[in-house]
Every structure is written in structure tokens, then in C-alpha cells.
Amino acid sequence: MRSPRRCSRNGCPRQAVATLTYVYNESTAVVGPLAAFAEPHTYDLCEPHARSLTAPRGWDVVRHEGEFEPPPPTTDDLVALAEAVREAARPAPRPPEGTPDRSHPDQSHSTGRRGHLRVIPPNH
């Protein structure tokens, strides 16, 4: 599953909701709704950074006046999530009866299993 796009500002962990594009020949910075795809030479911004952006002296800022909304999940995202849940819920295959478990050479300690995690006993 794709993770949501993050704000391009250094150190900002927020989800991007806007795209900043510079139109150099018109000395204009355009802040609009989040583009469908990340493009080179554009910057994804969270709402606080999109609203507070300033441009260099002599440049204009054209800013989307409506609400910035995070993009809805795509069908691909939903299918990937469903597949991940199905995979995690699948029980691990058990070795046939009488087959030694090669993943644990010392069978004197009991190990527990919880989903994809395994409890490993301390060494004595």
C-alpha cells in the first residue's frame, strides 16, 4: 500500500494536501489542491505550510481559496490494504507430525507464537 505523501518542508511529518508549483517566467508561485501524482519540480505541502507560504520579493502568490482536503484512498490502496490484512490473517503452515522444527535447535525451551511475532526464550 502506498503511504500518503508527506509535506516537502524539512522536518514536517504532516500529510500533504496541496501542491506548490513555481511559474518562473511569470514570477509566480501557485499553491493549489494536491496534484494526482508527485511531479518533479513541484512541492507537496501540508495545510499550515500551504497557507503560510510567502514568495520572494517581486513574485506573486496564487493560492487556492477553498479548503485543502487530503486525497481519498484510491482503489489500488484499498485492494493493497485488503491483501495485506488477508496475508496477516493467514495461519502459518505447520510442519507434518514428527518433523523436527529446524528453526529452534534447542527444543528444551518452549516458544510462543503470536501472529507474525515469535517469543524467543532467554539463553541460560
Side-chain angles (χ1 to χ4, degrees):
M1 183 169 116
R2 289 187 317 234
S3 60
R5 286 163 37 197
R6 298 282 173 210
C7 183
S8 296
R9 296 289 300 262
N10 285 338
C12 183
R14 295 185 200 97
Q15 181 178 4
V17 296
T19 297
L20 166 64
T21 306
Y22 289 107
V23 183
Y24 293 98
N25 61 348
E26 296 179 16
S27 299
T28 304
V30 180
V31 180
L34 187 65
F37 300 100
E39 297 286 337
H41 309 293
T42 63
Y43 302 89
D44 294 337
L45 300 174
C46 63
E47 186 165 4
H49 286 126
R51 298 251 180 246
S52 65
L53 178 90
T54 59
R57 184 176 294 137
W59 282 59
D60 295 318
V61 176
V62 176
R63 194 182 323 267
H64 173 71
E65 292 300 324
E67 291 297 316
F68 290 112
E69 306 259 340
T74 66
T75 304
D76 293 343
D77 290 342
L78 295 175
V79 169
L81 178 60
E83 289 298 323
V85 169
R86 279 190 209 106
E87 181 66 28
R90 236 179 245 138
R94 295 190 177 261
E97 289 286 325
T99 305
D101 184 358
R102 302 262 185 236
S103 64
H104 302 289
D106 182 8
Q107 294 292 322
S108 63
H109 299 290
S110 65
T111 58
R113 186 158 178 87
R114 223 190 244 287
H116 66 285
L117 301 176
R118 182 177 297 143
V119 178
I120 300 174
N123 291 332
H124 292 295

